[in-house]
Every structure is written in C-alpha cells, then in structure tokens.
Amino acid sequence: MALDFSLGDGSQGSLCARLMLAGLLVLAPGMWGAGAGSAAAQSLRRTDPGHLQGAPRGTYETPRSYPTPRFHKPHIDPYAAGVIWLAQGTFSERAKSNAPLSRACREGRLKRVAGGFADFDDLRVPAAPPRGLVNRTGIPLDFPIYFFRYESSTNCQVFVPQ
C-alpha cells in the first residue's frame, strides 16, 4: 500500500494531514516552549560521563616503540668552504714561524694573492700554496703551504708546517 502525500479528498490524504498536524503539536512544546524543552536541551549540552572513558584493560595494545631519531649535523665539505689544508692538532703544535718570510711580509715583499684557509683544531688561518704567493724576496719557497697571521699589517707573521 503506497502512501499518497497529497491533501486531496481521499481517506489517505486526510490521514496524512492528521499525522503531520499531530507531529507538529508534539514537537511544538519541545522546540518553542521554555518549560518542557529546557531539560531536554540541557541533556544535549552535557556529554554522557561514560562517553570518554578509556578502553577496558586487555582490549588495547600499546603502539610499537620506534627508535628515537637522532639528528646529526649535516656534513659540510670543508674544501667547499675554502679550506685548503686540514691539520690534526693545534696551531702552535703544527706550525712554526719563519722569520725571513715574516719580515718580507711586513715589508710588503711577500703577499698572499690566492689560496684559502688552513683549519686547525683551535684556529682557522689564511693559507696559500707557493703558487698563490707573490714573492719579491728571492727566498725559495720550499714548503707546500704557508700560513699567515695578521697579514697586510706591520705585525704580519708567516708560518710553515712542522
């Protein structure tokens, strides 16, 4: 038996109209009335106390423990940063002063025009191979690299590896 929702002359139409009116009368006090609907509205505002309870024991497995990630400093190629000499140890252990070259540097007859840096455990100093130096002293450059401290000043010091 199909229901006809038209409000015509038939017995089914009048039955449908009566049901709709009855529904409106039932819903009307809960929706617009202040007295009867307030208890229902308050029950909707509050959460059921059992709603947020934990799972019963034995029904929940703890997640697997994963290893803690370790963050390492990214590897930076020292040669890409201009380092041309890496040395194990401190500067005072690995370099010795060269007096004639230091004097020539103070006088402006020995200059570093190319090169990079020498990286020691405690210090980073300017350095250059012999081809990166302008040598107007006549002193032979026998070492593979030369280290400079206070270059371009009257206190310039030139060191060689030991």
Side-chain angles (χ1 to χ4, degrees):
M1 174 174 178
L3 292 176
D4 182 19
F5 290 104
S6 65
L7 297 176
D9 291 334
S11 64
Q12 292 176 350
S14 62
L15 175 67
C16 181
R18 279 188 248 151
L19 287 174
M20 286 193 307
L21 286 174
L24 288 176
L25 291 176
V26 170
L27 290 176
M31 292 174 71
W32 294 293
S38 63
Q42 283 188 359
S43 68
L44 291 177
R45 288 187 197 127
R46 225 176 50 207
T47 305
D48 181 21
H51 177 73
L52 298 175
Q53 296 283 329
R57 290 186 181 265
T59 60
Y60 177 73
E61 294 180 14
T62 58
R64 274 183 47 189
S65 64
Y66 294 99
T68 305
R70 294 186 179 143
F71 298 101
H72 300 284
K73 288 177 22 180
H75 174 72
I76 299 171
D77 184 16
Y79 296 107
V83 174
I84 59 172
W85 187 273
L86 286 173
Q88 298 283 329
T90 62
F91 181 74
S92 60
E93 294 172 350
R94 298 291 176 202
K96 64 179 178 177
S97 180
N98 188 317
L101 292 177
S102 295
R103 189 177 314 109
C105 181
R106 285 192 291 272
E107 294 170 357
R109 294 183 294 134
L110 179 73
K111 291 188 179 189
R112 184 178 71 95
V113 293
F117 297 98
D119 210 4
F120 295 91
D121 288 346
D122 62 341
L123 193 63
R124 179 177 275 189
V125 295
R131 69 179 184 276
L133 300 174
V134 173
N135 182 12
R136 290 180 280 170
T137 62
I139 301 171
L141 300 176
D142 298 329
F143 293 96
I145 193 160
Y146 295 88
F147 313 117
F148 288 80
R149 300 278 319 263
Y150 315 112
E151 87 179 302
S152 299
S153 72
T154 57
N155 192 23
C156 180
Q157 295 174 351
V158 179
F159 294 85
V160 294
Q162 60 174 347

